[in-house]
Each structure stands twice: as C-alpha cells, then as structure tokens.
Amino acid sequence: MPRRRTSSSASSTGSPAGNSSAPRNRTPQPVRIRRRGFGDFVKAFFAFVALLVLVVGVPGALAVTIGWPLPKGAPSLDWLQQQITVWTFIHILTVIVWLAWAQFTACVLVEVKAALSGVGVPGRVPGAGPSQLLARQLVAALLLVGATAASLTPGLSNLGHSLDGNQKPTVAAAQATPGIFAQQQEQAAHTAAALAEQASHAQAEVGHQAGQHGETKYYRIQPPEGRHHDSLWEIAQRHLGDGRRYKEIYELNKDRVQPDGSRLSEASLIRPGWIMEMPGDARGGELVEMPDANAQVSPEVQHQIHDYAKSGEHAQEQGGSGGQQVSVPQQRPAAQHVHQQQVASPESGANSGSSSHSFGLPEALLSAPLLAAGLLGALGRRRRQALWQSALGSVGGRRGMEPPTPTGDAAAAQDALLVGADPEAVRLLDRSLRGLAAQLTGESRPLPTVYAAWLTNGDLHLQLAQPAGKPPAPWQLGQDQTFWMLARSDAERYPDADTAAPYPGLVSLGTMDDSRLLLNLEAVPGIVSLSGREADRAAVFASVAAELATNGWSDRMTITLVGFGEDLTPLAPNRLRHLDGIDALLETMEAETRQRRGALGAAGQDSVLTGRTGPAQHTRWAPHLVLLAAQPSAEDAVRLAELAADASRLGIGYLVGTESGDLPGAAWEMEVTGAGKLLAPLLGLELDAQLLPLAQQRAVVELFVEADPERDPQGPTPTPPFLVDISEQGRPAVYARLVGPYEIIGLETPDGERSALLHEALALLLLHREGVHPRVLASALWPRGVTEDVRDALLERLRVWLGADPDGSPRLTADAAGRLVLAKSVVSDLDVLRSLYHEATQGKGVDSRAVRGRLLTDALVLVRGPLLADRPEGRYRWLTHEIIDAQLPLLVADIGLALSAFHLEKDRAEKAIEALGAALNSAPGDERLWNELLRATHATGDTDRLTALAADLVNRSGARGLPSRTEALLDELLPSWRNGVAAVG
C-alpha cells in the first residue's frame, strides 16, 4: 500500500503549499547547542544599554536639549511666511527623530510581547522593517540569558534574512505549533551563518524540533488500568480538541525509537509505555514537560523522555520498520505437529493434486478451515432444528424426515465444507481461550488485551497489546514479552472451562508463512479500513461476517452489516442484522455507544474486557461488530471515527470499506488485491486473504435456506433418497447392518490393518447414497491429511473388496460429477428401515391395514441399538458433521408411534405398550413416545400401573420437571397423579 500524503500531514510539517513535489524531510538535521558564556552576558548587557538609550535616553535628550519641536498654537499664514533658520531644520529633524523613536519603541514592545508569550510570530509594525529587525536583535540578545529564553518567538529563526521574504512560510507553521524553535533562536544569537542553514530546513523541522527543548509537552501511554488502550485520534481529541489533528502527533513521533525499541508506523497502533511528543498547544493534566532533576517524575521515565527527545535524529538511519504491531510468531518445527491447514487446505495431503476427482470444489471454502467448520456446524444445527420442529408437528408421515439433497453449486459448497472444515482446531481454540480466562480469573489477574491470534504448526500464539507478565501454565512466553504461546499437545489436555468466551471478536483474515491470522476486531482502538476493488472487498466482508456469525469460540454477539449485496442473514438470524444505509448505522451506533458507556459506568467496570469474566454477568458484555462495506462520505467518516475512538473499551469493532484507502481514525489500513492478497505493508502483513466470493456466498446461503424449518411448512413429504426392494426377490448381494453393532453379510473380512479403514469408508458411502466426493471421503478417513496416492490406493482396495455384480458391473463407481456411488445391490439395514416405513405410510400400507402392521413390525425388529454401536474410539469422527444421529431416533420413534396407533385401533393396549417400549430403547428422550405410552397404559384401565409410570417420568425429568404437554396429558388421564406420585415416592 503506497504511503499517502495528506493535507493534514503537510500542514503539520509546515511545508509550503505550493511545493508538492518537494521531498519530505523525515529526519531534520540536529542543531548543535552551545552553553551560554561570558560573551553572551556581555552582549546582553550592551543590548540592555542600547535599548535603554534608544527607548528612554533619546526622548529624554530631545526633551532636555530641544524641547517640544511643534508650534505652541495652531498654524497660521504668518507662520508660513517667517524666515527659515537653522532652528527650523533642527525642529523638523526633531519631529522625524520622535517619529522614528515611536516606531522603534512600538517594535520593541511588539517583540517583547511575542517573546514573553511564545505564541505566534510578532506582528509587523508598518514601515519598520530595519527598525523592527534591530529591535528583535536587541530583545533576543537581552532575553537570551534570561528566564524567558526558552520561549522566544519562532520569527527569530530568520535572523540575517529579509523579514518580508522569510515571514510568510513560517507563519503557517507557527500557527499550527506555537512556541517552538527555541534552539534555533539561541543559535541565531551567536552566528547568523548557522541560522541561515537552519532556516533552509525550517519548514520540514517544525514538528521535530518541538520536542528537542523548552516547554514541549510529552504524553506517556499508560497501561489499560481504568480505561482501554488509546489511539492517536483519541489523544488528539482529548489534548488538542480535534481528533483530526492526530496526524500532527504522528508526524512528530514517526519512526522515532520508543522505550521498548519499536517505532510508530503510519496508521499503526500505540502501546502502553510509549512516549508521544505533542504539539505546543496541547493541553491536559496527563501531559508533562521535559523533566529536570527536580521533576516529580521517576528517574526511569526522565531518562526515557530525554532519550526519546534525542531519538529523532537517528530515525532515518535506522528506518521505520521496527514498530510493526502485528508480526508473525516464530514457528516450531513443522514435524512436531500436523499444521491445521494441512487438514483442510487443498494444497496438502488428500486435498491436493490434479486428479480428475478433485475438480468442482470451491477453493475459497477448502482453504478456510475455521470458517468451514463454523458453517458446517451451524448447518448441522439448522437441519437438526428442522427435524425436531417437524417431529413436534404430527404423528406418522410428517414432512422433514429427510432433508433435501443439495444439488449444483450448493452440493459443491457442502462438499467443500466437509473437506475444508477443521472442527478439532475450533474446539482446541475455544477450549484454550476459555481455559486461559478461567485460570487468570482464579489468579485474580485481568485478561490481557489481545490484538491478534496466530495458528502456527498447530500451536496457538496470542499477540498482546502490551506485556502482561508471565502467562499461567501450560501457556508460555513466545518470541517476546507480547506473545503468549500454547502448544497443541498442551491444548489437547486442556479441560473444559465453564466461563465466558474472552475474545469473541477474533476472526480469520488469511494466512502468511504457514500461519493463520485471526484479528480481534473488538480490541482494535479505532477503525480497520479495507480498500480494494468493490468485489474483492465484498468477498472479504462476507468471509468475516460468515465466520463471526457461526464460529465456535464466541458465546453470542451482534454483527451489523451495511452495504452487502447478498443477504447473509439465513446463516445466523440471531446474530446478523442488515441496515439500509450509513445514516441508519450512525443513528444506531450513536445510541448504543451512549448506552454501553452508561452500562459500564453503572457496573463499575473499566471496559468490556474486564467485565466479561470473573463475577460479572456474562450476558452483559456481548460484542458488537460493524461491517460497513459501503464507502462513507467525508462527514460520515468523521462521525464514524469519533464513535470508534472509544469503541474498543465498549466492545465495539468497526471494519469499514473505502475506495481511496484514506479514512479518518483508521488504526489499521489494509488493502485486498485482485490476486487475493491482503496487504498492510505498514504492519508488515502480506496475507493470502480468506475470501467468500459471491458465487460461494449464494451457494452457502442456499444450503441454509433449504434447511430452514420455517420454509414451506405445508410442502410435500420428501421421499428417502434410496428405496430398496423389500420383497424376497430384492435380496441384496451385500448387506450391512449399521443400526446397532456393525456387521457385513456377503463380503469376506479384509485382512490386515486396512480392514478398519475399508469398513469406515463403506459406512460413509452407505449413509450417502447420493454419492461421496473422493476428497470428502479422504478428509473423513484421514482428518489430518493424506497423500493422493494413499487415497487412491484405498479406493482401489475398496473396489476390489466390494467386487462386481453378476453382470460384471462394479459395485463402486463414479458418477458424472466424480462422486463415488454404490450399486443398488449393496444395501444397509438403514436403507431397509427407511423403505419399510415409507411403504407402510405412503405405499401399500396406506390401503391395507394388514400390510401396514406387518411392515411396521418388520421395521421395528431391525432396530438393535444406536447407529454403529461398537465403533472403535477415535474413528468415525465425521459423524459429528452428520444429522443421522438425530434422524435415526426420530425415525424409530415414528415407527413405534405408528405401530402403537395400529394396535390401539383394535384395543390391543399391551401390544401398543410393547411397540412403544421397543422404540424407547433407541429413542429414550422422545417426549412423544412417553406421552403415547401414557395413553396406552391408560387404555389398560390399570390406575396403579399408570401412577407408577407417572412416578417414573417424574424421576427421569429430575429438576427440570415434566414437559408442559406431559403434565397436561396426566391432568387429563389421571387428575390425582400428583398425590399418587408423592405416595409412590
């Protein structure tokens, strides 16, 4: 990102307005300071004598020797006719001398006033060029050894030059930074040549020389005790009265060595302990002058300020790259850990290569493991919610048993999510952050402010705003005092902690040097600006919004979106909200900023960070992140900057798009390129940006919309994706029993260690009759990555193991999209279970009661327990992405309910109770089964049995109590159930 030159920065250096091409002098030449000697006092004495003679002696001598030169009365015609004598000329010369004296005296008064006040350039006395120059020299010489020497006027730096020629450019600089140039004034009193050399650099040195000596003010950034971290905008607003003057502070301090060895970079962040030289008109109790030996400042701070005042002269030699606020942490050897990106990235392991089975998956989702994991988890929750809501709607054949199968771009997006997702990394990140918060709370230590987190070779590095001491074990100090590091092996042993998420604003921006950067938007003291083409910016904004809305390391938050072309609300309706424009955003955020300030004050908290953990209520400190993709106007940008000045303390973050890249109040400035790079040169960042382009946005949103439980509630009941022939003629060649212990009939058991992999691969294919992408299969079997040749070798063994049908066609093939598909001759008991239920409720069983009863009974017999009941520990982790664990209990419950209703129609209550009991073995938490069991038991007429069942239900419910529907049903069937339950208890 090229460094821009703005009007604000130009004015702060005092550069001539018209000289736009002149180079900027970042490191003005130092002025050699000479101590005052005997000669200085002699010159001061003679200056005093000269001033005394000229100001007091001249009028006294004129009054004594000549008297009043003008006529005593009013002039007349006779007066003009008198003879001209020598006294006439003497009187005329006396008048001229009086006028010259008056002019010189006025010059002396003007110069003395300006010198004593130290504000601005002395006013010009009309027609008094040489006279005023003489007065200035005499006053300077006199005051040079006095107490006011340090506050001499800036105009003294131009001694030896034409007053008219040198005053104009200095005025603008002096008005911006009054009371400066004291060092040049002292040098000017001794040598005009040195002053002439300094005057040639005066315009570039205004900002720098302000802090070299005299009454220059300094501001020391304090640790975040009682308030949050400062920004240059906030400091300028507080001490200069206008936040837009933050660039003046930047110009005064840019590239100068700070006490911790780093430097301030443009639009960068400032750290506690840094020293900021302030413009001369800065005001405020937190400012200090250059301390002397008797100052009420610690010796260490005195030393730091004195060193800092001299550091500007070395800035150009040492460069300005040392003060970057975000740096890549030092990496451990990659062999020690499998990097989490290898799990999900298309460049590694099973996810790489140019195989024909690798096409069709969007790389944007493949290379974003944390985003993909969040989206996949949210999609699974949405689909489960749809199943449960549908289950409460009716008994029997209800809509929602089978979620719609994605097609086209949505199917490719789902496959990419399955391949790219790294839920283990999300779990470890969440557990590590919450564990750290719990440990610090237990030690009564505050949470450190974290600007960024890096995931590197499986390790977690937190980059702190300032050193925060030794981290609690197993955390360790990283490459310096501002890095806390947790190894992956230690994170895996971290216990779960019941505490609020400490850093919910962390969001992935991209990768750099095999490290993934997560920026804490909530903690950045100011606005994060993003420039670039509109489409590229939108892809970054969409990625950030999607991850914030679905991530696994945040409890809850509000994400406000403005200027997005695609509605992302379906991803998380409870978190995401869209506003129509910037006006609505400003109105909303101004109100919320006031509200949060009041809430913090009422709670006695310094910031949301200190109030989020410990004894504070968790729900009070949820973050609010604003993503503004639209370009704000200049006026709106200033209002945003004012809101963002205090935003980090309030838990509010701003990411704002800009076309020009120049945004007031921007703490970080970033740019996204058409090549997919996220650049922030002044921060030392060049990332491979994490993007969510428009096509992938639409595909992901389609997945969530299709899973919406409120969508088309009256729609037709979906048909299972795969129905089998349940007659004797439809006996399969290969039959796998998945509901219960895993068994395979029709195939020889493979030999060796590959048997478990082959069984797991077959189970995955059986649960996805629509087909499985080879990359999805490889990602499921090898979550940490695998090479392409190993994947292909397994697929070949799987084909050989499954064999071919009698007609010679292989039982494992690939469809037109490259997905692996099983032949119809390979069947699972889950396929049979679905087919039996579908035929009983929507097929032949609809018209034949006897057929319906037989089909439902056969289906219930197939249920032998939970899915893959004996699966080995550590395998089949891909089941966490599936909803079969929710589908199967609902399906079993539906079968039990349908069979119970079948028996109750003929008053066979015991048969109904038997069917419901069998279903409860696989779906013990289904409220519908228990309510139907109450009805069936009531049908027996045995009140004691019904009372005992009610007591059992009460015991099972525990402290939660019975569901309201169950209580209402018991009130209807057994009004005295409460007394009976108490008696049984």
Side-chain angles (χ1 to χ4, degrees), residues 867-897:
L867 185 75
L868 299 168
D870 59 350
R871 59 180 180 266
E873 184 178 358
R875 304 209 65 87
Y876 297 86
R877 292 183 178 178
W878 47 269
L879 281 172
T880 58
H881 303 319
E882 307 286 340
I883 63 169
I884 184 61
D885 60 337
Q887 284 178 298
L888 181 58
L890 289 176
L891 176 60
V892 172
D894 281 351
I895 293 172
L897 292 170

Side-chain angles (χ1 to χ4, degrees), residues 684-738:
L685 295 179
E686 182 175 346
L687 306 173
D688 293 322
Q690 180 170 297
L691 307 172
L692 189 59
L694 184 59
Q696 279 71 62
Q697 292 179 47
R698 291 172 175 169
V700 169
V701 169
E702 181 181 343
L703 289 173
F704 280 80
V705 170
E706 290 292 332
D708 187 355
E710 303 297 331
R711 182 176 180 270
D712 193 17
Q714 304 301 324
T717 302
T719 300
F722 181 71
L723 294 174
V724 300
D725 185 355
I726 57 178
S727 65
E728 287 294 329
Q729 294 75 21
R731 185 178 297 273
V734 178
Y735 183 65
R737 304 178 73 180
L738 305 179

Side-chain angles (χ1 to χ4, degrees), residues 324-384:
Q324 298 161 359
Q325 301 301 311
V326 178
S327 56
V328 182
Q330 295 175 353
Q331 300 184 20
R332 301 171 63 183
Q336 296 183 19
H337 298 286
V338 180
H339 185 259
Q340 59 96 18
Q341 193 177 3
Q342 293 178 342
V343 178
S345 119
E347 291 81 14
S348 64
N351 306 325
S352 62
S354 57
S355 166
S356 60
H357 300 309
S358 299
F359 65 87
L361 300 186
E363 299 297 322
L365 296 173
L366 291 173
S367 58
L370 304 183
L371 169 61
L375 289 171
L376 198 60
L379 181 61
R381 291 190 294 271
R382 181 68 56 82
R383 287 173 172 171
R384 286 181 174 86

Side-chain angles (χ1 to χ4, degrees), residues 224-229 446-449 502-503 522-523 596-597 599-601 603-613 616-617 620-622 646-652:
E225 297 178 2
R227 58 180 176 81
H228 211 54
H229 198 56
L447 276 170
T449 300
Y503 305 113
E522 183 190 20
R596 290 201 172 208
R597 284 173 179 161
L600 279 178
Q605 300 291 342
D606 301 330
S607 70
V608 296
L609 190 63
T610 58
R612 180 170 290 144
T613 57
Q617 297 180 3
R620 187 179 299 172
W621 316 112
D646 195 33
S648 60
R649 188 177 69 89
L650 305 176
I652 304 175

Side-chain angles (χ1 to χ4, degrees), residues 399-415:
R399 191 188 77 83
M401 175 58 67
E402 300 295 337
T405 301
T407 59
D409 290 343
Q414 179 173 276
D415 286 341

